[in-house]
Amino acid sequence: MSKNLKKQTILFGIPKFPTKSSAVIMPFILSSLMTLIVSFISTIRVIGFQETLITLWMSSWVISWLIAFPVLLIILPIVRKLTNSLIKSE
């Protein structure tokens, strides 16, 4: 496999996403990781380390992510504008 082709693929020859898709991919990854971590901490605080931890954690994570991802898609442009208003332009 050539170096150029390797740079254009993610894994196993799957092509990288177009640049425009970063507006959805970044919030997808961010919301996935954030809700995964927060739901894990919340689940442990409520039930502790039990046999049902993974099952309860995953169900609470899915519900959290289903809310967080669309909310993040909606508020991210507002947060970017707010951030830009607080940053000095050079």
Side-chain angles (χ1 to χ4, degrees):
M1 184 180 291
S2 73
K3 284 184 182 181
N4 192 27
L5 183 59
K6 211 175 211 180
K7 289 180 182 178
Q8 295 177 7
T9 61
I10 299 170
L11 188 65
F12 302 120
I14 299 170
K16 288 188 177 182
F17 295 99
T19 306
K20 291 189 294 187
S21 63
S22 68
V24 174
I25 291 174
M26 192 275 295
F28 176 82
I29 294 170
L30 180 62
S31 64
S32 298
L33 292 174
M34 290 293 293
T35 55
L36 192 72
I37 294 165
V38 171
S39 64
F40 180 68
I41 293 167
S42 296
T43 305
I44 287 177
R45 287 202 64 215
V46 171
I47 67 162
F49 289 98
Q50 296 182 14
E51 290 179 17
T52 58
L53 173 65
I54 300 298
T55 305
L56 291 171
W57 171 36
M58 287 295 106
S59 66
S60 69
W61 172 67
V62 168
I63 293 166
S64 298
W65 182 82
L66 286 172
I67 295 166
F69 181 57
V71 168
L72 191 55
L73 288 175
I74 292 167
I75 67 166
L76 197 56
I78 298 165
V79 171
R80 281 189 181 124
K81 285 181 184 176
L82 178 62
T83 302
N84 288 335
S85 71
L86 299 172
I87 305 296
K88 197 185 320 182
S89 59
E90 295 183 40

